PDB file of all heavy atoms in Angstrom:
ATOM      1  N   GLN A   1     -90.872-101.753  16.158  1.00 76.00           N
ATOM      2  CA  GLN A   1     -92.140-101.031  16.176  1.00 76.00           C
ATOM      3  C   GLN A   1     -92.947-101.309  14.909  1.00 76.00           C
ATOM      4  O   GLN A   1     -94.167-101.505  14.954  1.00 76.00           O
ATOM      5  CB  GLN A   1     -91.887 -99.522  16.287  1.00 76.00           C
ATOM      6  CG  GLN A   1     -91.375 -99.052  17.633  1.00 76.00           C
ATOM      7  CD  GLN A   1     -91.081 -97.572  17.598  1.00 76.00           C
ATOM      8  OE1 GLN A   1     -90.153 -97.145  16.904  1.00 76.00           O
ATOM      9  NE2 GLN A   1     -91.866 -96.789  18.318  1.00 76.00           N
ATOM     10  N   MET A   2     -92.256-101.339  13.792  1.00 76.00           N
ATOM     11  CA  MET A   2     -92.952-101.576  12.523  1.00 76.00           C
ATOM     12  C   MET A   2     -93.576-102.966  12.506  1.00 76.00           C
ATOM     13  O   MET A   2     -94.683-103.170  12.017  1.00 76.00           O
ATOM     14  CB  MET A   2     -91.986-101.418  11.356  1.00 76.00           C
ATOM     15  CG  MET A   2     -91.359-100.034  11.253  1.00 76.00           C
ATOM     16  SD  MET A   2     -92.590 -98.718  11.111  1.00 76.00           S
ATOM     17  CE  MET A   2     -93.359 -99.167   9.583  1.00 76.00           C
ATOM     18  N   ALA A   3     -92.869-103.946  13.063  1.00 74.00           N
ATOM     19  CA  ALA A   3     -93.415-105.303  13.112  1.00 74.00           C
ATOM     20  C   ALA A   3     -94.648-105.361  14.002  1.00 74.00           C
ATOM     21  O   ALA A   3     -95.611-106.076  13.704  1.00 74.00           O
ATOM     22  CB  ALA A   3     -92.347-106.270  13.614  1.00 74.00           C
ATOM     23  N   GLN A   4     -94.655-104.584  15.085  1.00 76.00           N
ATOM     24  CA  GLN A   4     -95.812-104.560  15.973  1.00 76.00           C
ATOM     25  C   GLN A   4     -97.023-103.933  15.291  1.00 76.00           C
ATOM     26  O   GLN A   4     -98.159-104.344  15.521  1.00 76.00           O
ATOM     27  CB  GLN A   4     -95.465-103.810  17.258  1.00 76.00           C
ATOM     28  CG  GLN A   4     -94.454-104.529  18.138  1.00 76.00           C
ATOM     29  CD  GLN A   4     -94.001-103.684  19.308  1.00 76.00           C
ATOM     30  OE1 GLN A   4     -94.241-102.465  19.346  1.00 76.00           O
ATOM     31  NE2 GLN A   4     -93.325-104.319  20.261  1.00 76.00           N
ATOM     32  N   VAL A   5     -96.777-102.946  14.458  1.00 77.00           N
ATOM     33  CA  VAL A   5     -97.854-102.281  13.740  1.00 77.00           C
ATOM     34  C   VAL A   5     -98.591-103.268  12.844  1.00 77.00           C
ATOM     35  O   VAL A   5     -99.805-103.149  12.613  1.00 77.00           O
ATOM     36  CB  VAL A   5     -97.302-101.101  12.911  1.00 77.00           C
ATOM     37  CG1 VAL A   5     -98.302-100.638  11.863  1.00 77.00           C
ATOM     38  CG2 VAL A   5     -96.934 -99.952  13.825  1.00 77.00           C
ATOM     39  N   MET A   6     -97.880-104.268  12.350  1.00 76.00           N
ATOM     40  CA  MET A   6     -98.479-105.218  11.420  1.00 76.00           C
ATOM     41  C   MET A   6     -99.701-105.913  12.017  1.00 76.00           C
ATOM     42  O   MET A   6    -100.618-106.301  11.308  1.00 76.00           O
ATOM     43  CB  MET A   6     -97.455-106.279  11.008  1.00 76.00           C
ATOM     44  CG  MET A   6     -96.211-105.707  10.350  1.00 76.00           C
ATOM     45  SD  MET A   6     -96.596-104.913   8.804  1.00 76.00           S
ATOM     46  CE  MET A   6     -97.095-106.334   7.873  1.00 76.00           C
ATOM     47  N   THR A   7     -99.725-106.064  13.333  1.00 75.00           N
ATOM     48  CA  THR A   7    -100.845-106.756  13.959  1.00 75.00           C
ATOM     49  C   THR A   7    -102.142-105.964  13.851  1.00 75.00           C
ATOM     50  O   THR A   7    -103.232-106.519  14.011  1.00 75.00           O
ATOM     51  CB  THR A   7    -100.542-107.018  15.444  1.00 75.00           C
ATOM     52  OG1 THR A   7    -100.348-105.758  16.112  1.00 75.00           O
ATOM     53  CG2 THR A   7     -99.283-107.864  15.596  1.00 75.00           C
ATOM     54  N   ALA A   8    -102.041-104.663  13.553  1.00 72.00           N
ATOM     55  CA  ALA A   8    -103.238-103.829  13.443  1.00 72.00           C
ATOM     56  C   ALA A   8    -103.925-103.984  12.092  1.00 72.00           C
ATOM     57  O   ALA A   8    -105.068-103.555  11.928  1.00 72.00           O
ATOM     58  CB  ALA A   8    -102.878-102.357  13.675  1.00 72.00           C
ATOM     59  N   VAL A   9    -103.247-104.583  11.135  1.00 78.00           N
ATOM     60  CA  VAL A   9    -103.791-104.709   9.772  1.00 78.00           C
ATOM     61  C   VAL A   9    -103.697-106.173   9.350  1.00 78.00           C
ATOM     62  O   VAL A   9    -102.659-106.609   8.841  1.00 78.00           O
ATOM     63  CB  VAL A   9    -103.038-103.802   8.777  1.00 78.00           C
ATOM     64  CG1 VAL A   9    -103.711-103.843   7.415  1.00 78.00           C
ATOM     65  CG2 VAL A   9    -102.958-102.382   9.296  1.00 78.00           C
ATOM     66  N   PRO A  10    -104.735-106.972   9.553  1.00 81.00           N
ATOM     67  CA  PRO A  10    -104.693-108.388   9.188  1.00 81.00           C
ATOM     68  C   PRO A  10    -104.381-108.590   7.707  1.00 81.00           C
ATOM     69  O   PRO A  10    -104.875-107.857   6.850  1.00 81.00           O
ATOM     70  CB  PRO A  10    -106.104-108.876   9.520  1.00 81.00           C
ATOM     71  CG  PRO A  10    -106.620-107.907  10.542  1.00 81.00           C
ATOM     72  CD  PRO A  10    -106.009-106.587  10.186  1.00 81.00           C
ATOM     73  N   GLY A  11    -103.552-109.568   7.430  1.00 80.00           N
ATOM     74  CA  GLY A  11    -103.220-109.895   6.045  1.00 80.00           C
ATOM     75  C   GLY A  11    -102.141-109.046   5.436  1.00 80.00           C
ATOM     76  O   GLY A  11    -101.756-109.241   4.282  1.00 80.00           O
ATOM     77  N   CYS A  12    -101.601-108.093   6.188  1.00 82.00           N
ATOM     78  CA  CYS A  12    -100.559-107.197   5.664  1.00 82.00           C
ATOM     79  C   CYS A  12     -99.187-107.835   5.877  1.00 82.00           C
ATOM     80  O   CYS A  12     -98.925-108.461   6.906  1.00 82.00           O
ATOM     81  CB  CYS A  12    -100.643-105.848   6.373  1.00 82.00           C
ATOM     82  SG  CYS A  12     -99.481-104.621   5.762  1.00 82.00           S
ATOM     83  N   GLN A  13     -98.301-107.671   4.907  1.00 81.00           N
ATOM     84  CA  GLN A  13     -96.951-108.215   4.994  1.00 81.00           C
ATOM     85  C   GLN A  13     -95.941-107.085   4.848  1.00 81.00           C
ATOM     86  O   GLN A  13     -96.131-106.172   4.038  1.00 81.00           O
ATOM     87  CB  GLN A  13     -96.714-109.255   3.898  1.00 81.00           C
ATOM     88  CG  GLN A  13     -97.625-110.469   3.998  1.00 81.00           C
ATOM     89  CD  GLN A  13     -97.398-111.451   2.864  1.00 81.00           C
ATOM     90  OE1 GLN A  13     -96.707-111.144   1.902  1.00 81.00           O
ATOM     91  NE2 GLN A  13     -97.986-112.636   2.979  1.00 81.00           N
ATOM     92  N   LEU A  14     -94.884-107.151   5.644  1.00 79.00           N
ATOM     93  CA  LEU A  14     -93.839-106.126   5.626  1.00 79.00           C
ATOM     94  C   LEU A  14     -92.559-106.733   5.085  1.00 79.00           C
ATOM     95  O   LEU A  14     -92.196-107.851   5.416  1.00 79.00           O
ATOM     96  CB  LEU A  14     -93.603-105.608   7.048  1.00 79.00           C
ATOM     97  CG  LEU A  14     -92.369-104.732   7.274  1.00 79.00           C
ATOM     98  CD1 LEU A  14     -92.483-103.417   6.502  1.00 79.00           C
ATOM     99  CD2 LEU A  14     -92.187-104.465   8.764  1.00 79.00           C
ATOM    100  N   ARG A  15     -91.901-105.982   4.233  1.00 76.00           N
ATOM    101  CA  ARG A  15     -90.589-106.426   3.760  1.00 76.00           C
ATOM    102  C   ARG A  15     -89.686-105.209   3.608  1.00 76.00           C
ATOM    103  O   ARG A  15     -90.153-104.072   3.431  1.00 76.00           O
ATOM    104  CB  ARG A  15     -90.698-107.182   2.431  1.00 76.00           C
ATOM    105  CG  ARG A  15     -91.146-106.351   1.256  1.00 76.00           C
ATOM    106  CD  ARG A  15     -91.344-107.230   0.020  1.00 76.00           C
ATOM    107  NE  ARG A  15     -91.793-106.450  -1.116  1.00 76.00           N
ATOM    108  CZ  ARG A  15     -90.988-105.927  -2.044  1.00 76.00           C
ATOM    109  NH1 ARG A  15     -89.687-106.109  -1.941  1.00 76.00           N
ATOM    110  NH2 ARG A  15     -91.473-105.242  -3.054  1.00 76.00           N
ATOM    111  N   TRP A  16     -88.374-105.461   3.673  1.00 68.00           N
ATOM    112  CA  TRP A  16     -87.374-104.417   3.484  1.00 68.00           C
ATOM    113  C   TRP A  16     -86.625-104.754   2.198  1.00 68.00           C
ATOM    114  O   TRP A  16     -85.954-105.776   2.103  1.00 68.00           O
ATOM    115  CB  TRP A  16     -86.399-104.385   4.663  1.00 68.00           C
ATOM    116  CG  TRP A  16     -87.089-104.386   5.992  1.00 68.00           C
ATOM    117  CD1 TRP A  16     -87.327-105.456   6.790  1.00 68.00           C
ATOM    118  CD2 TRP A  16     -87.659-103.264   6.663  1.00 68.00           C
ATOM    119  NE1 TRP A  16     -88.000-105.091   7.924  1.00 68.00           N
ATOM    120  CE2 TRP A  16     -88.211-103.739   7.875  1.00 68.00           C
ATOM    121  CE3 TRP A  16     -87.757-101.903   6.367  1.00 68.00           C
ATOM    122  CZ2 TRP A  16     -88.849-102.907   8.780  1.00 68.00           C
ATOM    123  CZ3 TRP A  16     -88.387-101.073   7.275  1.00 68.00           C
ATOM    124  CH2 TRP A  16     -88.930-101.565   8.465  1.00 68.00           C
ATOM    125  N   ALA A  17     -86.783-103.930   1.204  1.00 60.00           N
ATOM    126  CA  ALA A  17     -86.174-104.220  -0.092  1.00 60.00           C
ATOM    127  C   ALA A  17     -85.956-102.918  -0.838  1.00 60.00           C
ATOM    128  O   ALA A  17     -86.509-101.870  -0.472  1.00 60.00           O
ATOM    129  CB  ALA A  17     -87.067-105.154  -0.909  1.00 60.00           C
ATOM    130  N   ALA A  18     -85.176-103.018  -1.911  1.00 47.00           N
ATOM    131  CA  ALA A  18     -84.953-101.831  -2.736  1.00 47.00           C
ATOM    132  C   ALA A  18     -86.277-101.388  -3.350  1.00 47.00           C
ATOM    133  O   ALA A  18     -87.104-102.221  -3.719  1.00 47.00           O
ATOM    134  CB  ALA A  18     -83.947-102.144  -3.836  1.00 47.00           C
ATOM    135  N   PRO A  19     -86.499-100.097  -3.459  1.00 45.00           N
ATOM    136  CA  PRO A  19     -87.776 -99.619  -3.998  1.00 45.00           C
ATOM    137  C   PRO A  19     -87.908 -99.950  -5.474  1.00 45.00           C
ATOM    138  O   PRO A  19     -86.903-100.026  -6.193  1.00 45.00           O
ATOM    139  CB  PRO A  19     -87.697 -98.106  -3.786  1.00 45.00           C
ATOM    140  CG  PRO A  19     -86.239 -97.795  -3.749  1.00 45.00           C
ATOM    141  CD  PRO A  19     -85.589 -98.986  -3.119  1.00 45.00           C
ATOM    142  N   PRO A  20     -89.147-100.189  -5.936  1.00 50.00           N
ATOM    143  CA  PRO A  20     -89.337-100.397  -7.371  1.00 50.00           C
ATOM    144  C   PRO A  20     -89.051 -99.118  -8.134  1.00 50.00           C
ATOM    145  O   PRO A  20     -89.028 -98.029  -7.568  1.00 50.00           O
ATOM    146  CB  PRO A  20     -90.824-100.776  -7.479  1.00 50.00           C
ATOM    147  CG  PRO A  20     -91.442-100.147  -6.279  1.00 50.00           C
ATOM    148  CD  PRO A  20     -90.394-100.188  -5.196  1.00 50.00           C
ATOM    149  N   GLN A  21     -88.807 -99.272  -9.413  1.00 49.00           N
ATOM    150  CA  GLN A  21     -88.538 -98.113 -10.258  1.00 49.00           C
ATOM    151  C   GLN A  21     -89.735 -97.177 -10.241  1.00 49.00           C
ATOM    152  O   GLN A  21     -90.885 -97.591 -10.390  1.00 49.00           O
ATOM    153  CB  GLN A  21     -88.253 -98.559 -11.694  1.00 49.00           C
ATOM    154  CG  GLN A  21     -87.879 -97.414 -12.613  1.00 49.00           C
ATOM    155  CD  GLN A  21     -87.536 -97.914 -14.003  1.00 49.00           C
ATOM    156  OE1 GLN A  21     -87.551 -99.113 -14.256  1.00 49.00           O
ATOM    157  NE2 GLN A  21     -87.221 -97.010 -14.893  1.00 49.00           N
ATOM    158  N   ALA A  22     -89.493 -95.905 -10.019  1.00 49.00           N
ATOM    159  CA  ALA A  22     -90.579 -94.933  -9.947  1.00 49.00           C
ATOM    160  C   ALA A  22     -91.318 -94.858 -11.280  1.00 49.00           C
ATOM    161  O   ALA A  22     -90.705 -94.882 -12.352  1.00 49.00           O
ATOM    162  CB  ALA A  22     -90.025 -93.563  -9.585  1.00 49.00           C
ATOM    163  N   LYS A  23     -92.623 -94.763 -11.201  1.00 51.00           N
ATOM    164  CA  LYS A  23     -93.438 -94.673 -12.407  1.00 51.00           C
ATOM    165  C   LYS A  23     -93.588 -93.217 -12.805  1.00 51.00           C
ATOM    166  O   LYS A  23     -93.920 -92.368 -11.975  1.00 51.00           O
ATOM    167  CB  LYS A  23     -94.811 -95.302 -12.145  1.00 51.00           C
ATOM    168  CG  LYS A  23     -95.526 -95.734 -13.395  1.00 51.00           C
ATOM    169  CD  LYS A  23     -96.720 -96.585 -13.062  1.00 51.00           C
ATOM    170  CE  LYS A  23     -97.303 -97.212 -14.323  1.00 51.00           C
ATOM    171  NZ  LYS A  23     -98.480 -98.031 -14.037  1.00 51.00           N
ATOM    172  N   PRO A  24     -93.352 -92.868 -14.058  1.00 51.00           N
ATOM    173  CA  PRO A  24     -93.474 -91.473 -14.465  1.00 51.00           C
ATOM    174  C   PRO A  24     -94.883 -90.948 -14.223  1.00 51.00           C
ATOM    175  O   PRO A  24     -95.865 -91.677 -14.293  1.00 51.00           O
ATOM    176  CB  PRO A  24     -93.157 -91.518 -15.978  1.00 51.00           C
ATOM    177  CG  PRO A  24     -92.448 -92.815 -16.180  1.00 51.00           C
ATOM    178  CD  PRO A  24     -92.955 -93.752 -15.150  1.00 51.00           C
ATOM    179  N   THR A  25     -94.975 -89.681 -13.897  1.00 60.00           N
ATOM    180  CA  THR A  25     -96.285 -89.079 -13.666  1.00 60.00           C
ATOM    181  C   THR A  25     -96.860 -88.476 -14.939  1.00 60.00           C
ATOM    182  O   THR A  25     -98.011 -88.065 -14.954  1.00 60.00           O
ATOM    183  CB  THR A  25     -96.182 -87.987 -12.597  1.00 60.00           C
ATOM    184  OG1 THR A  25     -95.199 -87.022 -13.000  1.00 60.00           O
ATOM    185  CG2 THR A  25     -95.749 -88.587 -11.265  1.00 60.00           C
ATOM    186  N   THR A  26     -96.077 -88.401 -15.992  1.00 77.00           N
ATOM    187  CA  THR A  26     -96.583 -87.932 -17.277  1.00 77.00           C
ATOM    188  C   THR A  26     -96.131 -88.889 -18.363  1.00 77.00           C
ATOM    189  O   THR A  26     -95.200 -89.674 -18.169  1.00 77.00           O
ATOM    190  CB  THR A  26     -96.074 -86.517 -17.607  1.00 77.00           C
ATOM    191  OG1 THR A  26     -94.636 -86.527 -17.604  1.00 77.00           O
ATOM    192  CG2 THR A  26     -96.567 -85.504 -16.577  1.00 77.00           C
ATOM    193  N   LEU A  27     -96.782 -88.828 -19.495  1.00 86.00           N
ATOM    194  CA  LEU A  27     -96.447 -89.727 -20.589  1.00 86.00           C
ATOM    195  C   LEU A  27     -95.179 -89.265 -21.301  1.00 86.00           C
ATOM    196  O   LEU A  27     -94.803 -88.091 -21.247  1.00 86.00           O
ATOM    197  CB  LEU A  27     -97.604 -89.765 -21.580  1.00 86.00           C
ATOM    198  CG  LEU A  27     -98.955 -90.212 -21.027  1.00 86.00           C
ATOM    199  CD1 LEU A  27     -99.977 -90.260 -22.147  1.00 86.00           C
ATOM    200  CD2 LEU A  27     -98.846 -91.559 -20.350  1.00 86.00           C
ATOM    201  N   PRO A  28     -94.516 -90.193 -21.997  1.00 87.00           N
ATOM    202  CA  PRO A  28     -93.356 -89.786 -22.794  1.00 87.00           C
ATOM    203  C   PRO A  28     -93.792 -88.885 -23.941  1.00 87.00           C
ATOM    204  O   PRO A  28     -94.969 -88.826 -24.292  1.00 87.00           O
ATOM    205  CB  PRO A  28     -92.810 -91.125 -23.306  1.00 87.00           C
ATOM    206  CG  PRO A  28     -93.958 -92.070 -23.252  1.00 87.00           C
ATOM    207  CD  PRO A  28     -94.783 -91.636 -22.087  1.00 87.00           C
ATOM    208  N   PRO A  29     -92.858 -88.162 -24.556  1.00 90.00           N
ATOM    209  CA  PRO A  29     -93.224 -87.276 -25.673  1.00 90.00           C
ATOM    210  C   PRO A  29     -93.817 -88.086 -26.829  1.00 90.00           C
ATOM    211  O   PRO A  29     -93.454 -89.246 -27.045  1.00 90.00           O
ATOM    212  CB  PRO A  29     -91.883 -86.644 -26.089  1.00 90.00           C
ATOM    213  CG  PRO A  29     -90.990 -86.831 -24.916  1.00 90.00           C
ATOM    214  CD  PRO A  29     -91.424 -88.085 -24.232  1.00 90.00           C
ATOM    215  N   PRO A  30     -94.739 -87.488 -27.591  1.00 93.00           N
ATOM    216  CA  PRO A  30     -95.297 -88.208 -28.750  1.00 93.00           C
ATOM    217  C   PRO A  30     -94.238 -88.457 -29.804  1.00 93.00           C
ATOM    218  O   PRO A  30     -93.193 -87.793 -29.852  1.00 93.00           O
ATOM    219  CB  PRO A  30     -96.393 -87.272 -29.254  1.00 93.00           C
ATOM    220  CG  PRO A  30     -96.028 -85.924 -28.722  1.00 93.00           C
ATOM    221  CD  PRO A  30     -95.335 -86.160 -27.424  1.00 93.00           C
ATOM    222  N   LEU A  31     -94.524 -89.434 -30.658  1.00 94.00           N
ATOM    223  CA  LEU A  31     -93.610 -89.774 -31.741  1.00 94.00           C
ATOM    224  C   LEU A  31     -93.774 -88.806 -32.911  1.00 94.00           C
ATOM    225  O   LEU A  31     -94.834 -88.190 -33.069  1.00 94.00           O
ATOM    226  CB  LEU A  31     -93.888 -91.198 -32.212  1.00 94.00           C
ATOM    227  CG  LEU A  31     -93.733 -92.297 -31.163  1.00 94.00           C
ATOM    228  CD1 LEU A  31     -94.187 -93.636 -31.745  1.00 94.00           C
ATOM    229  CD2 LEU A  31     -92.305 -92.384 -30.679  1.00 94.00           C
ATOM    230  N   PRO A  32     -92.754 -88.675 -33.760  1.00 95.00           N
ATOM    231  CA  PRO A  32     -92.939 -87.885 -34.984  1.00 95.00           C
ATOM    232  C   PRO A  32     -94.076 -88.470 -35.817  1.00 95.00           C
ATOM    233  O   PRO A  32     -94.158 -89.690 -35.999  1.00 95.00           O
ATOM    234  CB  PRO A  32     -91.588 -88.019 -35.700  1.00 95.00           C
ATOM    235  CG  PRO A  32     -90.611 -88.386 -34.623  1.00 95.00           C
ATOM    236  CD  PRO A  32     -91.376 -89.201 -33.624  1.00 95.00           C
ATOM    237  N   ARG A  33     -94.943 -87.617 -36.320  1.00 94.00           N
ATOM    238  CA  ARG A  33     -96.108 -88.103 -37.049  1.00 94.00           C
ATOM    239  C   ARG A  33     -95.701 -88.636 -38.424  1.00 94.00           C
ATOM    240  O   ARG A  33     -95.129 -87.905 -39.234  1.00 94.00           O
ATOM    241  CB  ARG A  33     -97.121 -86.976 -37.225  1.00 94.00           C
ATOM    242  CG  ARG A  33     -98.458 -87.452 -37.818  1.00 94.00           C
ATOM    243  CD  ARG A  33     -99.350 -86.270 -38.195  1.00 94.00           C
ATOM    244  NE  ARG A  33     -99.636 -85.404 -37.088  1.00 94.00           N
ATOM    245  CZ  ARG A  33    -100.601 -85.599 -36.190  1.00 94.00           C
ATOM    246  NH1 ARG A  33    -101.335 -86.704 -36.273  1.00 94.00           N
ATOM    247  NH2 ARG A  33    -100.815 -84.737 -35.218  1.00 94.00           N
TER     248      ARG A  33
END
């Protein structure tokens, strides 16, 4: 089904792979001044 969906979006590519490392939603703590 997922492969069939690809035909609805030209230029889209599907792959099955391990997810990339999640990006933090907040910055790391500041450094000591």
Side-chain angles (χ1 to χ4, degrees):
Q1 289 176 293
M2 300 303 298
Q4 292 173 346
V5 164
M6 301 296 293
T7 61
V9 186
C12 183
Q13 298 178 349
L14 169 65
R15 66 185 179 94
W16 311 97
Q21 184 177 358
K23 202 168 189 181
T25 56
T26 58
L27 301 183
L31 300 174
R33 188 190 302 276

